Amino acid sequence: MSIPLPVGVEQPEVRFVICGVGHIGRRHAALVQRQPGAKLAALIDIRAEQKPELAAEFVGVPFFASLEEYLAHGPSADVLTVATPNYLHAPQAIAGLRHGLHVLVEKPLALRTADAEQILTTAAQARRLVFGVMQNRYSPPAVWLKQVIEENRLGGIFMVQINCFWNRDARYYRPGSWHGTRAQDGGTLFTQFSHFIDLLYWVFGDVTNLQARFHNFNHQHLTEFEDSGLVTFDLVRGGTGTLHYSTAIWDRNLESSLTVIGEHGSLRIGGQYMDKVEHCHIRDYECPPLLPTNPANHYGFYQGSAANHVQVIEEVVEAVRNGSSAETNAQEGVKVVEIIEQIYKLKKAAG
C-alpha cells in the first residue's frame, strides 16, 4: 500500500502503462495524459501495425508488443491498466501484481470467479491495489439512486426491473475477432452488461433464487452464445427483480433502464445508457436537479455506456498516492463475476 506523504511535500506522478490499446485502451491512455498527477509511461499491444499511429498520437511514449516484453524491458510504472480481450484480464492482472504493479482492470474482472479471487489473493500477497472499471457508478442518476436507497426513501423494495436492449450485429461481431467466442469473450453478460449487474449489486445488494431463459434470435452465425436473456431473481434484502437483455436490436441501441417499485413510491432511470431520471414519484420527496450525465462511449458504428473513465482514473491516482479507498472495489468486481457465472450455470443445467 502507498504511504501518504507529509503535507507540503509534492506528490510524485502516478505512472500508468496501458496493456491493450483498442478503443477503450486508447481512451485510458488519452485520459491518463490529461489527468493531473498521472503520467503515461508505456503502451502495450500485440498489433505491431498500430505502432506508427500510436507513436504519432502519444509522442515519446514507448511501445511494447507484449506484456512480457514490457515487464522485462520497459520503464518503471505504478499502475498496469488491463484493457485487453476478456480472457486475458485475469492472467495479465496477476502478472502485473507479481511484478509489483497496482492494476486497473476493465470489466469484467475475469471470466471465472476462481480467477477473480486469485487476482485478489495475489494483490494481498504483493501488497498492491486492484481496481475494476465500474463506470456506471459515477453517472449522476446512479449516484442519486444509491442515495435514495440508502436513505430508505422508498421504504421496502418490492420490485427492481433492469432492461438492457442494445445493438451488436455483424459490424461488431466480425470473423476472426475474440468478440462472440465462448472461451475469449465469455458471453453477452460479461462483455456488454456486466456494469449493469454491478449497479444492481452496488445499490441493492446480493441476489438469490436465480432463474433464467436464453435465446439466440439473430446471432446464430455471429456468436457462440445467446444474444438475449430473461433473468429473474430475489433480492437478499427483500424484494424481487428481473433482468431483460438483448443485443439483437436492429441498427442501434434502444435503451438501458432501471425501474424500482417500493413501499413509498417508484422511480425509473432510462435513456439509452441510464442517463436520465424519467420518473420519480416518492412520498414527501422531490427529485433534486442532477448534473448532466457524460455522453456515451463511441466506437464508430456502435455505442457503449456513459463515458465515466475519467472519474475511475482520478480515484486510482488518489488511491495509489494516499492509500485511500475507491468506488472501483475489486471485491465487488468478484461478486459481479460470481453472479454472471451463476446465471450462465443455469444455461448449462438446462442442457
Side-chain angles (χ1 to χ4, degrees):
M1 298 294 181
S2 301
I3 299 174
L5 293 174
V7 175
V9 176
E10 185 177 349
Q11 294 271 25
E13 290 181 312
V14 176
R15 301 159 297 177
F16 286 75
V17 54
I18 312 297
C19 186
V21 198
H23 290 296
I24 286 294
R26 189 169 298 200
R27 178 168 179 78
H28 275 278
L31 290 172
V32 165
Q33 283 198 319
R34 297 202 293 265
Q35 175 64 39
K39 178 182 179 181
L40 184 60
L43 299 170
I44 304 169
D45 202 290
I46 62 172
R47 295 165 293 184
E49 67 274 12
Q50 288 205 115
K51 186 174 181 179
E53 183 180 346
L54 292 171
E57 184 175 353
F58 302 101
V59 178
V61 178
F63 180 91
F64 297 88
S66 70
L67 178 60
E68 292 75 17
E69 182 188 353
Y70 165 76
L71 294 177
H73 306 293
S76 297
D78 303 293
V79 179
L80 171 68
T81 298
V82 178
T84 49
N86 295 353
Y87 73 106
L88 295 173
H89 288 186
Q92 291 181 337
I94 290 169
L97 290 165
R98 288 175 175 166
H99 195 75
L101 296 164
H102 305 290
V103 295
L104 169 62
V105 188
E106 265 294 339
K107 53 84 181 167
L109 189 62
L111 293 180
R112 299 191 312 143
T113 305
D115 293 336
E117 290 174 340
Q118 183 60 43
I119 293 174
L120 295 195
T121 299
T122 305
Q125 293 169 346
R127 300 175 66 87
R128 287 295 176 263
L129 299 171
V130 180
F131 308 88
V133 174
M134 302 172 179
Q135 67 264 37
N136 276 13
R137 297 186 180 198
Y138 300 95
S139 293
V143 174
W144 167 77
L145 171 66
K146 173 83 165 171
Q147 182 178 6
V148 166
I149 298 302
E150 287 183 341
E151 293 176 353
N152 199 33
R153 298 282 185 179
L154 289 170
I157 302 300
F158 297 158
M159 298 183 72
V160 176
Q161 180 191 60
I162 299 176
N163 291 331
C164 299
F165 300 140
W166 285 9
N167 161 261
R168 294 291 184 269
D169 53 27
R171 296 170 294 182
Y172 178 86
Y173 292 113
R174 297 180 178 182
S177 168
W178 63 274
H179 290 296
T181 62
R182 186 174 288 106
Q184 298 182 349
D185 183 315
T188 306
L189 289 177
F190 279 116
T191 304
Q192 310 302 334
F193 302 130
S194 62
H195 38 308
F196 295 102
I197 294 175
D198 170 67
L199 184 63
L200 170 69
Y201 180 75
W202 182 54
V203 175
F204 298 99
D206 208 353
V207 298
T208 187
N209 298 331
L210 286 157
Q211 299 182 56
R213 296 169 60 188
F214 305 94
H215 302 275
N216 198 356
F217 291 117
N218 62 12
H219 287 180
Q220 292 91 342
H221 304 295
L222 298 177
T223 68
E224 297 176 356
F225 43 74
E226 86 290 349
D227 61 28
S228 306
L230 192 164
V231 182
T232 63
F233 53 86
D234 290 331
L235 298 167
V236 171
R237 297 177 188 168
T240 191
T242 60
L243 165 65
H244 294 76
Y245 69 93
S246 181
T247 54
I249 309 305
W250 178 75
D251 193 49
R252 65 186 184 193
N253 292 358
L254 171 59
E255 72 164 358
S256 307
S257 66
L258 187 150
T259 302
V260 187
I261 299 172
E263 181 183 7
H264 302 315
S266 58
L267 61 84
R268 174 183 166 91
I269 299 172
Q272 282 197 56
Y273 315 102
M274 291 191 189
D275 52 358
K276 54 190 174 184
V277 178
E278 294 184 336
H279 172 84
C280 176
H281 185 60
I282 302 173
R283 186 183 71 183
D284 300 326
Y285 177 81
E286 289 189 14
C287 180
L290 302 180
L291 294 171
T293 300
N294 287 338
N297 283 303
H298 282 265
Y299 308 104
F301 51 84
Y302 69 95
Q303 292 179 304
S305 57
N308 295 324
H309 286 81
V310 63
Q311 291 97 325
V312 176
I313 293 169
E314 286 175 356
E315 288 208 348
V316 172
V317 169
E318 181 68 18
V320 170
R321 278 180 160 182
N322 303 315
S324 60
S325 62
E327 286 299 324
T328 47
N329 184 312
Q331 183 64 59
E332 294 178 359
V334 174
K335 189 63 188 181
V336 171
V337 174
E338 179 185 317
I339 291 171
I340 296 174
E341 197 169 40
Q342 288 174 349
I343 292 170
Y344 278 151
K345 282 180 179 177
L346 297 172
K347 184 192 297 186
K348 294 179 182 178

